[in-house]
């Protein structure tokens, strides 16, 4: 069992920045796929970015490439998402997720992830 707790959400104006954090605890494995997803009202949950804990390989949705950066601090068991140049369409509830199957990491599909946090709200105003 893995517990995930997100923090760092908030309200910003378009063009601003936020950094989300996800603290992980519980069972540990040598390698996980750690990821960020988001869900806007009336829309399906979508993958934003992912990183493999062992090799540090990163994957991004096209909509956030060049603006968002996923990173990790393995010593602190913490995942981060640095979000720059935020747009109103980035407004959503952001979730941290963990999956045990690294080969599924690039797909950024919710069904591939077993553990989820409760989410943190990001609101971007124009």
């Amino acid at each position: 069992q893995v517990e995930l707790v997100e923090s760092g959400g908030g309200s910003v104006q378009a063009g601003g920045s936020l950094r989300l954090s996800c603290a992980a605890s519980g069972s540990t494995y040598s390698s996980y796929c750690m990821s960020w997803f988001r869900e806007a009202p009336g829309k399906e949950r979508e993958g934003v970015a992912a990183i493999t804990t062992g090799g540090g390989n990163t994957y991004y949705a096209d909509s956030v490439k060049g603006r968002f950066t996923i990173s990790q601090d393995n010593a602190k068991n913490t995942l981060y998402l640095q979000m720059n140049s935020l747009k109103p369409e980035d407004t959503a509830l952001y979730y941290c997720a963990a999956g045990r199957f690294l080969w599924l990491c690039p797909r950024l599909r919710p069904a591939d992830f077993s553990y989820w946090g409760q989410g943190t709200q990001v609101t971007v105003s124009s």
Side-chain angles (χ1 to χ4, degrees):
Q1 188 71 19
V2 177
E3 292 77 42
L4 304 170
V5 179
E6 304 96 335
S7 61
S11 298
V12 295
Q13 290 190 327
S17 298
L18 282 174
R19 188 177 81 156
L20 305 183
S21 298
C22 172
S25 61
S27 299
T28 57
Y29 295 89
S30 59
S31 294
Y32 266 111
C33 175
M34 299 296 297
S35 65
W36 290 97
F37 286 80
R38 65 186 181 187
E39 187 170 334
K43 295 186 177 181
E44 293 186 352
R45 190 170 298 188
E46 65 170 344
V48 174
I51 187 169
T52 56
T53 58
N57 297 313
T58 58
Y59 309 94
Y60 294 93
D62 288 342
S63 58
V64 306
K65 281 181 181 177
R67 300 189 298 123
F68 291 10
T69 302
I70 189 170
S71 62
Q72 59 190 352
D73 185 333
N74 289 334
K76 296 181 179 180
N77 289 329
T78 301
L79 179 72
Y80 302 100
L81 184 68
Q82 178 66 44
M83 304 185 295
N84 298 328
S85 302
L86 282 162
K87 304 175 181 180
E89 51 263 44
D90 294 318
T91 295
L93 188 60
Y94 282 71
Y95 296 92
C96 173
R100 294 179 57 187
F101 305 109
L102 299 184
W103 61 90
L104 299 176
C105 205
R107 305 202 309 183
L108 288 172
R109 294 186 181 180
D112 295 336
F113 293 82
S114 302
Y115 307 105
W116 293 85
Q118 294 300 307
T120 184
Q121 179 67 38
V122 172
T123 302
V124 185
S125 58
S126 57

